[in-house]
Amino acid sequence: MRGPVIAAFLALTAAMAAPAVGRDRDPVEHARAMRAAGDLEGAEALLEAALPDRSDTSSAPRVAIELARCRLEMWDAEGARDAVADGEDWSETLGLDRIEVLAIADFMSGREASARERFARLPGASPVTQHYLGLIDFNAGRFERALEHFSRALASDPEDYYSALHLGWCLLELGRLEEARAALGKLLERADSPEVWQLLGRVDLRAERFADASARFREALARSPDDAESVFGLATALRRLGDGDGAREAFDRFRVLHRRHQEALRRSYVLTQRQLSSGDVTLLEELAAHALSAGDPVEAERAAWRALRGDAARVGARLTLARALASAGRYTAAALHYRRLLRAVPDHEVATAELRALIRDHGRRVDDE
């Protein structure tokens, strides 16, 4: 579940296209509208054009911060660092924004110790900072501390799905089962996701409520059929209920999914090592498609963006990015990338068919996001 959590701050909620703007419109506000519409590349280009001279301390820092955030949404941690490399003579507020951007970039790059050190320098931590501090402690098994951070994040932003999910997960790991059940049940009222159902199943399994656990895991699998953890949980619950045939069938299914997952990991490792040694953008495109086929849309999104950062004209990477966004329910951004692909290749039959299906099935979401 960690991949979707890392991607939490990337979720976009806005209209399909940025509104028309006049020449005198604040470029930062314009870029935010474009980012909200999913047009990260357009927002980046606008911000780069608005930042010709970093010596203008009245506007350059604001543009640089927005540029860095835009690049973070494209999984470009190094590009985000470059955008705010010159942090001298900034106002106190923008200086703190710069520290937060650099901390998130460190976290995305796997430098959690450095990220923690930067986050610790921020007074009055924002919900975003509290969320990331919670993730760092959670990943290190410090569940009590993680719980405190997620609780603070939710106090400021009660709609934060991933902080709420992890708060329930922390309570589970701490053995506070009734509190975990209550917290996850509350989250389920507004987020009918396989992750919540799976965690509720694990709560009931720990509490030896095996019939309830079985039902929870079945709900998770109805939404994510190849979730190996839910299959394993279901098998365990059925075994404890005395359903030997059902348990054996579920365990057999788990073994198949586990082998498939291990093979996918090995393939991903090979592709990653080849790409690191060669720098070949084609391998990033292949890695993105592989990740999506293996059921990891977040890794697919990350690899597709890396490929597009190397070559924005790569049709395969653009198609995978659109598919990954659609699979995560980010229909507006997905539609934007399908349309961008079709502007470059108007007769692309697959993209045309998938865009039509997206609009047919999720037209209201595409319009309203």
Side-chain angles (χ1 to χ4, degrees):
M1 264 188 241
R2 186 180 175 188
V5 173
I6 296 175
F9 75 100
L10 306 178
L12 305 174
T13 54
M16 182 57 220
V21 293
R23 293 183 180 180
D24 59 346
R25 179 159 181 184
D26 180 356
V28 170
E29 293 303 320
H30 187 181
R32 285 175 182 166
M34 296 176 77
R35 282 175 56 204
D39 189 1
L40 301 178
E41 292 154 303
E44 180 187 35
L46 173 68
L47 292 164
E48 288 175 338
L51 194 63
D53 183 3
R54 290 176 183 248
S55 65
D56 178 6
T57 57
S58 64
S59 62
R62 287 182 66 244
V63 176
I65 289 291
E66 190 67 18
L67 178 59
R69 287 174 174 155
C70 183
R71 288 174 176 172
L72 285 174
E73 291 193 18
M74 292 187 280
W75 296 89
D76 185 357
E78 287 306 315
R81 291 189 188 97
D82 289 343
V84 295
D86 180 8
E88 297 181 3
D89 301 324
W90 287 20
S91 71
E92 181 178 355
T93 299
L94 289 172
L96 295 177
D97 287 343
R98 176 177 180 268
I99 292 172
E100 188 173 75
V101 161
L102 290 171
I104 294 172
D106 283 345
F107 184 90
M108 290 179 67
S109 302
R111 306 172 188 172
E112 292 193 358
S114 176
R116 170 178 282 282
E117 186 277 328
R118 291 188 194 276
F119 281 128
R121 292 162 54 190
L122 296 171
S126 71
V128 171
T129 291
Q130 292 288 3
H131 178 78
Y132 279 100
L133 286 171
L135 289 181
I136 292 168
D137 282 329
F138 185 90
N139 293 338
R142 298 187 290 262
F143 300 116
E144 286 280 7
R145 289 171 59 175
L147 180 63
E148 292 176 7
H149 289 302
F150 292 129
S151 297
R152 291 176 190 145
L154 287 167
S156 299
D157 182 7
E159 299 301 310
D160 180 352
Y161 168 82
Y162 287 101
S163 287
L165 185 76
H166 270 71
L167 182 141
W169 199 345
C170 286
L171 291 168
L172 167 63
E173 295 295 342
L174 292 167
R176 295 161 59 176
L177 302 184
E178 290 307 314
E179 293 175 80
R181 185 180 291 109
L184 292 166
K186 182 179 179 181
L187 179 58
L188 190 64
E189 293 174 2
R190 60 183 176 85
D192 184 13
S193 70
E195 294 91 354
V196 180
W197 283 109
Q198 186 212 105
L199 285 174
L200 281 167
R202 290 171 59 184
V203 169
D204 285 333
L205 202 60
R206 185 88 64 89
E208 299 188 351
R209 295 168 51 167
F210 302 118
D212 289 338
S214 172
R216 309 279 203 189
F217 289 126
R218 290 186 190 279
E219 291 286 355
L221 289 167
R223 292 155 181 80
S224 181
D226 292 335
D227 179 21
E229 288 188 49
S230 292
V231 173
F232 186 83
L234 176 62
T236 303
L238 292 174
R239 179 174 60 81
R240 296 299 298 270
L241 287 168
D243 183 354
D245 291 341
R248 280 189 292 275
E249 181 180 347
F251 277 124
D252 288 344
R253 184 179 170 194
F254 168 76
R255 282 190 275 275
V256 170
L257 290 172
H258 182 68
R259 282 197 301 271
R260 189 185 303 166
H261 178 65
Q262 293 301 112
E263 291 166 2
L265 284 177
R266 282 192 290 271
R267 177 62 176 162
S268 178
Y269 176 80
V270 169
L271 287 171
T272 299
Q273 294 305 307
R274 286 174 56 197
Q275 198 282 323
L276 288 173
S277 63
S278 68
D280 187 350
V281 177
T282 302
L283 292 172
L284 285 172
E285 189 173 68
E286 187 176 346
L287 184 61
H290 169 71
L292 190 62
S293 68
D296 190 349
V298 173
E299 177 57 27
E301 180 186 346
R302 188 184 73 85
W305 268 123
R306 289 178 61 205
L308 291 169
R309 301 294 281 166
D311 179 2
R314 298 203 74 87
V315 172
R318 184 78 62 187
L319 181 62
T320 298
L321 178 58
R323 289 170 168 172
L325 293 167
S327 71
R330 292 157 62 186
Y331 305 118
T332 292
L336 183 143
H337 287 286
Y338 277 122
R339 287 168 174 153
R340 183 158 287 167
L341 188 161
L342 289 168
R343 283 198 294 272
V345 188
D347 59 349
H348 197 293
E349 294 181 1
V350 172
T352 299
E354 291 182 9
L355 176 60
R356 285 175 178 167
L358 183 74
I359 294 171
R360 181 193 66 229
D361 297 338
H362 306 287
R364 180 173 296 178
R365 292 286 303 277
V366 169
D367 290 337
D368 294 343
E369 274 189 10

